[in-house]
Amino acid sequence: MSRFPLLLSVACAMAMALPAPAPAQEKVPHVIVAIYHIAPGKQLEFLKWMAAREAIDREAGVGATQWYAHMNGDSWDYVAISPDIDDATSDKLDEMARKKGLKIGAPAGLEFRQMVASHTDTMAAGPLTASQMVDRATKP
């Protein structure tokens, strides 16, 4: 029983030392960063496939994908940074693609995989400047 006041004092001191919950920060858009390794001889077919889908995105008002073509260095062929869309927008894009005769769902995935040796998709927050990231990391 003699340790109880000491433990209570330590617990109170620790609780006071914990940081207060941070207020909600402004929402930063999420993007999908995709890195593509294209199957040999399939570069133009891949770009045309993506351009057809990009046209539908544009028609639907979805933000443009930023494309980067490999020039030197690592082994990737293309990097794309595109907006992360919600399920309703994805469904709308599928319907628009279907009306234009483009494949969607599993058939589109199989068609896509004939052109791509490998790819990765990564969810990221941004765009942000380094200063904005410091502010987000250091402000409560």
Side-chain angles (χ1 to χ4, degrees):
M1 215 44 176
S2 62
R3 291 187 193 174
F4 181 74
L6 176 61
L7 291 173
L8 183 59
S9 297
V10 170
C12 289
M14 289 174 65
M16 290 189 306
L18 291 174
Q25 294 180 333
E26 69 181 72
K27 185 166 170 49
V28 175
H30 289 164
V31 296
I32 299 171
V33 179
I35 301 172
Y36 299 100
H37 297 89
I38 306 305
K42 297 291 186 168
Q43 281 79 6
L44 185 57
E45 184 180 348
F46 169 80
L47 291 172
K48 287 179 178 180
W49 196 88
M50 287 298 195
R53 280 139 185 87
E54 198 172 72
I56 292 169
D57 290 352
R58 194 171 37 255
E59 187 179 328
V62 173
T65 296
Q66 298 174 349
W67 284 92
Y68 299 87
H70 178 267
M71 292 180 63
N72 172 339
D74 201 358
S75 64
W76 55 270
D77 292 302
Y78 302 102
V79 170
I81 302 172
S82 57
D84 181 31
I85 59 172
D86 60 26
D87 290 343
T89 303
S90 180
D91 292 345
K92 177 181 176 181
L93 293 172
D94 283 351
E95 184 57 32
M96 292 172 73
R98 181 184 292 115
K99 286 179 180 177
K100 293 193 181 282
L102 300 176
K103 293 180 182 176
I104 62 168
L110 292 173
E111 190 174 71
F112 171 81
R113 282 166 181 78
Q114 292 175 0
M115 297 174 279
V116 177
S118 69
H119 82 286
T120 61
D121 295 322
T122 303
M123 181 71 66
L128 295 165
T129 65
S131 295
Q132 289 171 318
M133 291 174 69
V134 167
D135 287 346
R136 292 179 62 80
T138 59
K139 289 186 179 168

